Amino acid sequence: KSKEGCEEELPHFLSAVTTNETYFFRNEQLWQYLGGELIPAMVASRGPRAGALRFWSAASSSGEEAYTLAILLRETIPDVAKWSITIVASDISSRMLEKARTGVYNDYAVAKTSPALVKKYFEEQGSEYRLKDEARRMVRFQFHNLRDPFPNGKFDVVFLRNVLMYFDNAMKIRVLANITDALAPGGRLIVGDVDPIRTIAEL
């Protein structure tokens, strides 16, 4: 098959082989850092007037990470409604994107979320939990292949967790170059515990 043909098949292959295992507030220490240090520092750096904050959840799977961020921002920023907040969540799997847009999850997805937050941000529907509109509408989902540049970037924070392990070094470098281009000056890249950025010199 031609190289172009293989590239066309890549999204379908990755959708089949990646696990998409995720849940709300996965890696509690990360969210404690974001809510306790990083987001308050970003808010303070904008000065006394509400400003704009831009986030990208890359390879967002079924949306738990992006929606966790939406909940955290609502809990962390007192006057959140006055801020211009952008949360973009992208994935290579159309199936995952459709699931994410519904905002409906099972009990496993919210098992690590505090009961108070579950009650505040979800509506129980039998054995499922539907995210309330106030958080769900903060996130915009779109298709994106990480090997391609991301349009309309300049994000304050990019999440790229537990993704790089699926790529060879050449693709890792390509992906990180695209991510770097999408970061605003002083922006932060958040990777997963298993991502090998610190152990591979080229990265």
Side-chain angles (χ1 to χ4, degrees), residues 12-74:
H12 308 291
F13 171 74
L14 288 178
S15 179
V17 302
T18 54
T19 63
N20 295 309
E21 197 270 350
T22 185
Y23 47 86
F24 283 82
F25 290 93
R26 184 179 183 182
N27 190 341
E28 184 181 0
Q29 288 182 325
L30 168 63
W31 301 106
Q32 288 176 350
Y33 163 67
L34 285 167
E37 296 183 37
L38 183 58
I39 291 173
M42 292 168 60
V43 169
S45 71
R46 300 309 197 264
R49 300 181 63 181
L53 294 171
R54 290 175 53 80
F55 303 87
W56 175 20
S57 172
S60 61
S61 187
S62 46
E64 287 91 333
E65 178 180 81
Y67 286 141
T68 297
L69 175 62
I71 292 172
L72 189 72
L73 289 169
R74 300 191 74 85

Side-chain angles (χ1 to χ4, degrees), residues 4-181:
E4 290 76 14
C6 290
E7 288 185 346
E8 289 175 1
E9 291 298 322
L10 183 61
H12 308 291
F13 171 74
L14 288 178
S15 179
V17 302
T18 54
T19 63
N20 295 309
E21 197 270 350
T22 185
Y23 47 86
F24 283 82
F25 290 93
R26 184 179 183 182
N27 190 341
E28 184 181 0
Q29 288 182 325
L30 168 63
W31 301 106
Q32 288 176 350
Y33 163 67
L34 285 167
E37 296 183 37
L38 183 58
I39 291 173
M42 292 168 60
V43 169
S45 71
R46 300 309 197 264
R49 300 181 63 181
L53 294 171
R54 290 175 53 80
F55 303 87
W56 175 20
S57 172
S60 61
S61 187
S62 46
E64 287 91 333
E65 178 180 81
Y67 286 141
T68 297
L69 175 62
I71 292 172
L72 189 72
L73 289 169
R74 300 191 74 85
E75 290 295 300
T76 304
I77 304 176
D79 53 349
V80 66
K82 296 180 181 178
W83 285 74
S84 173
I85 293 175
T86 299
I87 304 173
V88 177
S90 68
D91 202 84
I92 201 170
S93 168
S94 298
R95 177 175 60 89
M96 285 292 104
L97 289 170
E98 286 305 310
K99 174 177 172 53
R101 289 188 181 103
T102 68
V104 177
Y105 297 92
N106 60 22
D107 54 358
Y108 175 82
V110 300
K112 298 295 179 68
T113 305
S114 75
L117 289 180
V118 172
K119 183 176 181 180
K120 185 174 181 179
Y121 288 101
F122 293 86
E123 296 174 348
E124 286 193 52
Q125 299 182 337
S127 61
E128 295 182 321
Y129 295 80
R130 179 181 295 275
L131 188 69
K132 294 181 180 179
D133 287 349
E134 61 191 88
R136 188 175 59 83
R137 289 175 178 169
M138 293 176 68
V139 181
R140 174 169 57 88
F141 290 94
Q142 68 182 69
F143 174 88
H144 178 252
N145 190 327
L146 288 169
R147 67 182 176 85
D148 300 324
F150 192 87
N152 306 316
K154 304 310 173 191
F155 294 97
D156 297 294
V157 178
V158 174
F159 295 81
L160 185 70
R161 298 200 290 160
N162 308 321
V163 178
L164 292 172
M165 61 183 178
Y166 291 110
F167 304 132
D168 62 21
N169 274 12
M171 184 58 75
K172 287 182 176 74
I173 291 170
R174 179 172 178 173
V175 168
L176 286 173
N178 290 332
I179 295 291
T180 300
D181 288 342

